[in-house]
Amino acid sequence: MSFASGRHFLQIPGPTNVPDQVLRAMSAATIDHRGPRFAALVPEVVEPLKPVVGTSGDVVLYPSSGTGAWEAALVNTLSPGDRVLCFETGHFATLWQAMARQLGLEVDFVPGDWRHGVDPAEVPARLTPDVKAVLVVHNETSTGVTSDIAAVRRAMGDHPALLMVDTVSSLGSVDYRHDEWNVDVTVSCSQKGLMLPPGLGINAVSAKALAASESARLPKSYWDWKPIIEANKRGAFPYTPPTNLLYGLREALRMLHAEGLPQVYARHARHAAATRAAVQAWGLELLCADPQAYSNTLTAILMPEGHDADKLREVILDRFDMSLGAGLGKVAGKVFRIGHLGHFNDLSLAGTLSGVQMGLRLAGVPVKPDGVTAALSVLADA
Ligand SMILES: *Cc1c(COP(=O)(O)O)cnc(C)c1O
C-alpha cells in the first residue's frame, strides 16, 4: 500500500502488536550490562516471568528467536544418536523434529493429519525404552490446534524420558504449568503472547533437565544453560544481552500481571470463541477437527474448494491494510489464520473480523453474511 491512514492491523499469529507502553519502555538508553543498574534489571524480568511459565525453577533468556530456544532445549540435554519421540501436529512440530535430525538425533515422528493434537493414548506404545525425550508443541500455530500437555505427561507414566514443550504461541495467553505438569524444558520466545518484538528466546528448565545437561554430549557453547544461570544469579549475562528487549519484557510482564493472568487467559478464550462463532456463521470450516483442542490464540480456517487463501489474504491486505497468517507447509493456500493473541481487545477483534468478512465478499468466496454479528453476540453475552 502506498498510502494508508489509521493503524495497520497485524493479525498474524505472531509477531503480534506491541503495546505503546512496551515500545516506550524500550525507547530508553542502553546501559552498561556489567553495571549495577543492569544487575537490578535481571531479577525484574526473570522473576515475574516465572509465574507465566508456571515454574519456580530456572528460566534462561537468549538473544534469539524461538528456533534458537528449540535448539537450546535439545543441545543442552541430549547426546548424538539419542532417540526422541515427536508428533506431527503441524508445521512447527515438523520443523522441530527436522532440527533434531540435523543435530544427529534419532527421531521417531508419529504421523498426524494436522487437524488434531497429540493423542495421549498413542504415547505408551510409541515410547520405546530408549527414548530420551518427548517433544510436543503445545499450541500448533500452523493449525490452531492444542495438545494436552498434562495428559501427555501422564501417558508417559514413569518412563525416564524428558518432556520438552514448545509454548511459543501459547505462553502468556493460555494457562500453562511447567512445574505442575512435570515438563522438563519449556521453549518459548518474545514476539507472540508476550507482546514484544522478536528477539528473545526462552527456556524454562527442570532440575531433571539441568542434571541431564551435565552429561549431555551434543556440542553446546552459546546455548549452554549453565553459564547463563550462574551469571544471572549475579545480575549478569555471559555475553551482551538484548538490554532494550529486557526493558520491554519488564513492561509487558507488568501489564500481564496488572490485568491478572486468569483474566488474560479468559480474554483469549473469549476472543477465540467469538472468532469460531464468526467462522461457523460464515459457513466456513475450521482446520481444527477436535473441539477439545481449539486454540485460544489463533484460528485456522479452511477455504472452500477452488478458492485460494493467499488470494484472499492479498485482497484483505490491499484493501484493508490487514495482515493475516498464511497457510504453512502442507496447508499452504488452503487455510488462512487469524491471530487473536497478545495486545488485543473486543474492538480489535470486531475490526479484524469485519476486515475478513468484507475481504471474503470482495474475493468472491461464497459465505453467509452474518459472521461478524455472531461474533459480536458472543462478546456482548460474555
Ligand atoms: C513462531 C513459532 C516458532 C518459531 O519461532 P521463531 O521465533 O520464528 O524462530 C516455533 N514454534 C511455534 C509453535 C511457533 O508459533
Side-chain angles (χ1 to χ4, degrees), residues 45-96:
V45 292
V46 170
E47 293 309 318
L49 183 55
K50 289 182 179 182
V52 180
V53 191
T55 188
S56 55
D58 289 306
V59 173
V60 176
L61 296 170
Y62 298 101
S64 80
S65 80
T67 302
W70 271 346
E71 181 160 337
L74 299 176
V75 299
N76 271 286
T77 53
L78 297 166
S79 298
D82 277 356
R83 186 172 298 280
V84 299
L85 176 61
C86 306
F87 298 86
E88 190 196 353
T89 49
H91 185 65
F92 290 100
T94 303
L95 291 177
W96 200 10

Side-chain angles (χ1 to χ4, degrees), residues 257-277:
H257 290 301
E259 184 175 352
L261 294 178
Q263 287 74 18
V264 171
Y265 303 149
R267 169 166 58 83
H268 283 82
R270 206 158 55 84
H271 290 152
T275 303
R276 291 192 299 270

Side-chain angles (χ1 to χ4, degrees), residues 286-309:
L286 298 169
L287 182 60
C288 181
D290 174 8
Q292 299 295 318
Y294 287 151
S295 168
N296 282 349
T297 62
L298 77 132
T299 301
I301 300 156
L302 278 160
M303 292 296 282
E305 270 307 312
H307 292 271
D308 180 3

